[in-house]
Amino acid sequence: VHLPNLEKLKDKIEISAIVNKKGANSIELARRYGIDHASTSLDDILDSVAFDAVLIGTRHDKHMEMTLKCLEAGKHVLVEKPLAISWNQLNKIKEFYNKNSEKDLPLLLTGFNRRFSPYLERIKTGVSHRSTPLIINYQINTKYLGKDHWQRSDEGGGRNLGEACHIYDLFTFLCDAEVDQVSASSISAANESFGKNENFAAVVRFKDGSVGNLTYTSLGSTKYPKEICHIYCDQSVFFLNNYVNLEIIGPVGDILKTESPSKGHFEEMELFIRAIKGEIDWPIPLWQQIQSTEIALNVEDLINGLRSDNNV
């Protein structure tokens, strides 16, 4: 997804180096995209190549470690979600930014791309002057993953931390408020054919009174849309169908459609580059990136029985 988007933006940026754990892959991608440096070592690239920013798209357990290393080296970072898969990892990121003002430190952007989708931008416009809290019902009907899939291992951290975090960011983006309470419950199979963190319901209550409900499941049919969202506000309903169609029903009706799912990946990259150049502020405020990750970690604790309903 990212390399073709960077190619589209080549009049604005230059790809200086690519790092992959398989050297042959690094060389192949470097040749394909005209990149001068290819390596299997991030440290070598940090030490030997001059550049401004890093895009991290490794497996989830490496995100925080590589992000922190790049930030400490003075590089701006776009890291794919999740930002962290443990409280300890997240605390290290928070400690880095607590040392100094954000304005004096490199920019951090977690890859919560859905908020940059034209659909979410339209919804945000529609609710920005609301007089009532929001009710958001979001469902993810995703494919089943086998027990040996990396996303279900320590590398991936599970599907709540690895994917549902997108939706916690979406809730945070639309509500633009701090969290008040998080609750969650899940189902699990005795034979561990699916994990506790892939068939669950989570409810996030915000301090402005808004409520976000997420149903995440791998039990449904893939013939049905993967992502459906209903938002209720000010006598209006916003119905988002799999990022190909948005229908607004209410005093101000509207319909938005695209031929293929438009989830904001290109828009995210474009905004990241503009922010690096100082043309705009951070595309996602740091507190919102932290909060979305904290919601995911709280949900993970709840569905694993590590705490009761959490007042944040």
Side-chain angles (χ1 to χ4, degrees):
V1 172
H2 289 309
L3 281 169
N5 283 335
L6 286 170
E7 182 74 6
K8 294 175 185 176
L9 295 163
K10 61 184 179 182
D11 61 325
K12 297 180 173 63
I13 57 101
E14 177 185 350
I15 306 177
S16 300
I18 189 157
V19 178
N20 190 291
K21 66 180 180 179
K22 296 181 180 179
N25 287 358
S26 292
I27 294 170
E28 164 66 22
L29 287 168
R31 286 174 178 167
R32 187 187 308 173
Y33 288 95
I35 302 169
D36 291 335
H37 303 277
S39 178
T40 58
S41 170
L42 174 61
D43 289 335
D44 287 349
I45 294 298
L46 286 170
D47 290 340
S48 63
V49 181
F51 58 93
D52 303 296
V54 180
L55 167 61
I56 298 172
T58 62
R59 292 190 174 182
H60 302 161
D61 61 326
K62 298 291 190 294
H63 285 187
M64 185 286 301
E65 174 189 346
M66 298 179 91
T67 294
L68 193 58
K69 180 176 291 187
C70 293
L71 290 173
E72 289 174 341
K75 310 301 182 184
H76 304 293
V77 174
L78 195 170
V79 57
E80 261 305 337
K81 54 77 196 166
L83 174 60
I85 59 173
S86 72
W87 287 105
N88 182 55
Q89 287 187 352
L90 182 60
N91 286 337
K92 289 181 179 179
I93 297 292
K94 291 166 70 173
E95 287 168 9
F96 174 81
Y97 280 102
N98 285 337
K99 291 177 184 177
N100 298 284
S101 166
E102 289 174 32
K103 294 182 179 180
D104 300 326
L105 293 170
L107 183 154
L108 173 64
L109 176 59
T110 307
F112 296 132
N113 52 274
R114 281 164 176 74
R115 67 159 61 205
F116 303 118
S117 160
Y119 293 108
L120 262 296
E121 289 290 343
R122 177 64 185 84
I123 293 170
K124 180 70 171 181
T125 299
V127 304
S128 60
H129 300 293
R130 57 191 169 90
S131 60
T132 64
L134 300 174
I135 293 290
I136 309 172
N137 290 332
Y138 203 106
Q139 66 178 48
I140 293 186
N141 166 57
T142 192
K143 63 183 179 181
Y144 170 78
L145 298 180
K147 288 192 292 183
D148 59 348
H149 194 282
W150 74 268
Q151 289 186 30
R152 290 183 59 179
S153 70
D154 291 340
E155 285 185 312
R159 305 183 85 174
N160 165 57
L161 294 173
E163 185 175 19
C165 57
H166 268 308
I167 314 311
Y168 307 138
D169 175 71
L170 184 150
F171 291 167
T172 297
F173 172 59
L174 292 179
C175 296
D176 194 21
E178 294 181 1
V179 169
D180 183 41
Q181 185 179 48
V182 178
S183 59
S185 57
S186 69
I187 62 174
S188 58
N191 62 1
E192 297 184 349
S193 58
F194 54 83
K196 290 181 180 178
N197 54 17
E198 64 180 300
N199 288 282
F200 63 91
V203 180
V204 184
R205 189 176 72 202
F206 292 85
K207 290 184 178 179
D208 73 334
S210 297
V211 175
N213 303 285
L214 169 64
T215 299
Y216 189 106
T217 183
S218 63
L219 299 179
S221 169
T222 55
K223 295 178 182 179
Y224 188 75
K226 180 186 177 185
E227 299 184 47
I228 296 287
C229 179
H230 289 89
I231 300 165
Y232 305 91
C233 173
D234 288 347
Q235 306 303 307
S236 295
V237 178
F238 299 79
F239 171 46
L240 176 60
N241 183 1
N242 219 27
Y243 293 86
V244 295
N245 184 75
L246 170 66
E247 185 175 1
I248 303 173
I249 303 98
V252 180
D254 197 4
I255 293 177
L256 178 63
K257 294 183 179 181
T258 51
E259 292 184 3
S260 58
S262 182
K263 293 185 177 181
H265 292 98
F266 179 80
E267 292 85 354
E268 171 188 65
M269 190 67 67
E270 194 170 37
L271 289 169
F272 179 60
I273 293 168
R274 290 186 62 198
I276 290 171
K277 294 184 175 185
E279 296 174 2
I280 59 171
D281 291 333
W282 287 36
I284 305 178
L286 180 62
W287 76 266
Q288 295 192 5
Q289 298 180 61
I290 297 295
Q291 174 165 287
S292 301
T293 307
E294 288 177 337
I295 295 171
L297 290 167
N298 277 312
V299 169
E300 192 72 10
D301 286 349
L302 289 163
I303 62 183
N304 282 292
L306 299 180
R307 66 178 73 186
S308 57
D309 284 6
N310 184 53
N311 288 294
V312 177

